[in-house]
């Protein structure tokens, strides 16, 4: 049974509910990555997912009459990344943010939907968050599930050649038909531009990397204004600083 989720700093007139039970199905993972891209024309059966189950998950994730599902990635030191399926009567989106109870604010990572904002993570940060499962972590604890949940935030001109295979393995692990996982991984990574894409650097005023894209919430340091020691802790969760170019 899903339980309520309370995020004091998330100032929305809505009811939040833990969504991790939905994540037990391959239909959820296919729905999540496709909905984040706005691609509904893909055939669920192509990826080994029952079409009726897929449609049911999409309906639940976009239902404005139901509490908004929240998926959580606990990542050590009290930090938790949240993905919230936002469903108003006139539109839907997915909000991503990181929270620490001592901050008194949220660190906004990005949004998928009509008013999209991003990217929110570099490739090295995505891997660090996916693999950094604390012993007392809440929410999703499987590294492949954590990677796919946060994959829509990715934007990095320095994507390594092995990224496609890494994403394909995560998709197959989460129930996507192995023979189609590579093609889907390529679709999900197709927007990564090695020439004009966003780059991530660390400036002198914060240990947390910033993004070169003006459309990214991380064009300024994440959770700007938190004390220096907490910024260091956040940088460690994200995999440590990347030297400035």
């Amino acid at each position: 049974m899903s339980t309520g989720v309370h995020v004091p700093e998330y100032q929305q007139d809505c009811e939040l509910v833990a969504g991790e039970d939905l994540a037990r199905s391959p239909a959820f993972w296919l729905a999540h990555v496709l909905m984040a891209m706005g691609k509904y024309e893909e055939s669920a059966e192509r990826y080994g997912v029952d079409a009726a189950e897929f449609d049911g998950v999409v309906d639940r994730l976009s239902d404005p009459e139901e509490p908004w599902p929240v998926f959580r990635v606990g990542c050590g030191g009290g930090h938790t990344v949240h993905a919230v399926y936002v469903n108003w009567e006139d539109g839907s989106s997915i909000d991503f943010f990181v929270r620490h109870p001592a901050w008194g604010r949220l660190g906004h990572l990005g949004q998928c939907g009509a008013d999209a904002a991003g990217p929110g993570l570099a490739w090295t940060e995505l891997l660090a968050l996916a693999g950094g499962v604390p012993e007392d972590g809440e929410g999703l604890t499987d590294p492949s599930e954590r990677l796919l949940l946060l994959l829509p935030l990715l934007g990095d001109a320095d994507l390594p050649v092995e990224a496609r295979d890494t994403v394909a393995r995560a998709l197959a692990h989460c129930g996507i038909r192995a023979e189609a996982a590579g093609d889907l991984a390529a679709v999900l990574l197709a927007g990564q531009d090695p020439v004009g894409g966003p780059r991530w650097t660390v400036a002198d005023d914060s240990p947390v990397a910033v993004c070169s894209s003006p459309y990214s919430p991380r064009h300024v340091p994440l959770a700007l204004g938190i004390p220096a020691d907490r910024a260091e802790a956040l940088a460690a969760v994200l995999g440590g600083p990347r030297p400035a170019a």
Side-chain angles (χ1 to χ4, degrees):
M1 180 180 295
S2 297
T3 57
V5 175
H6 181 53
V7 184
E9 302 87 356
Y10 192 61
Q11 301 298 319
Q12 300 276 19
D13 185 16
C14 63
E15 179 184 355
L16 304 179
V17 64
E20 284 85 12
D21 284 350
L22 293 169
R24 297 173 181 173
S25 164
F28 168 79
W29 293 109
L30 182 61
H32 174 67
V33 295
L34 294 182
M35 289 176 75
M37 293 191 303
K39 289 183 174 290
Y40 294 96
E41 69 276 10
E42 294 283 342
S43 168
E45 287 96 338
R46 176 185 177 189
Y47 300 106
V49 173
D50 179 78
E53 185 178 1
F54 175 80
D55 290 342
V57 171
V58 170
D59 288 344
R60 172 62 188 94
L61 293 175
S62 57
D63 189 347
E65 301 298 325
E66 293 287 341
W68 295 357
V70 182
F71 301 85
R72 295 160 295 173
V73 171
C75 38
H79 303 85
T80 304
V81 177
H82 296 70
V84 180
Y85 272 79
V86 176
N87 295 309
W88 302 111
E89 290 290 346
D90 58 352
S92 300
S93 61
I94 311 173
D95 283 349
F96 294 88
F97 54 83
V98 61
R99 177 181 184 267
H100 191 285
W103 289 353
R105 70 191 72 191
L106 300 176
H108 291 279
L109 292 167
Q111 182 184 83
C112 298
D115 298 318
L121 290 174
W123 175 253
T124 54
E125 295 176 336
L126 176 63
L127 293 185
L129 292 175
V133 184
E135 292 183 0
D136 58 349
E138 64 180 353
L140 300 175
T141 57
D142 183 275
S144 292
E145 293 180 351
R146 291 158 67 97
L147 186 144
L148 294 183
L149 183 76
L150 302 179
L151 183 62
L153 294 170
L154 176 65
D156 197 333
D158 296 322
L159 205 64
V161 294
E162 67 269 18
R164 179 181 178 274
D165 289 343
T166 300
V167 173
R169 286 194 298 271
L171 289 165
H173 178 82
C174 291
I176 302 302
R177 189 166 61 88
E179 294 79 3
D183 290 341
L184 180 55
V187 170
L188 298 175
L189 296 176
Q192 306 298 321
D193 183 358
V195 177
R199 298 189 181 276
W200 297 81
T201 55
V202 175
D204 293 335
D205 57 345
S206 173
V208 180
V210 295
C211 181
S212 64
S213 171
Y215 304 106
S216 171
R218 296 191 59 191
H219 197 57
V220 298
L222 185 62
L224 183 64
I226 60 176
D229 60 334
R230 292 175 184 160
E232 292 281 357
L234 176 59
V237 163
L238 293 171
R242 176 180 291 187

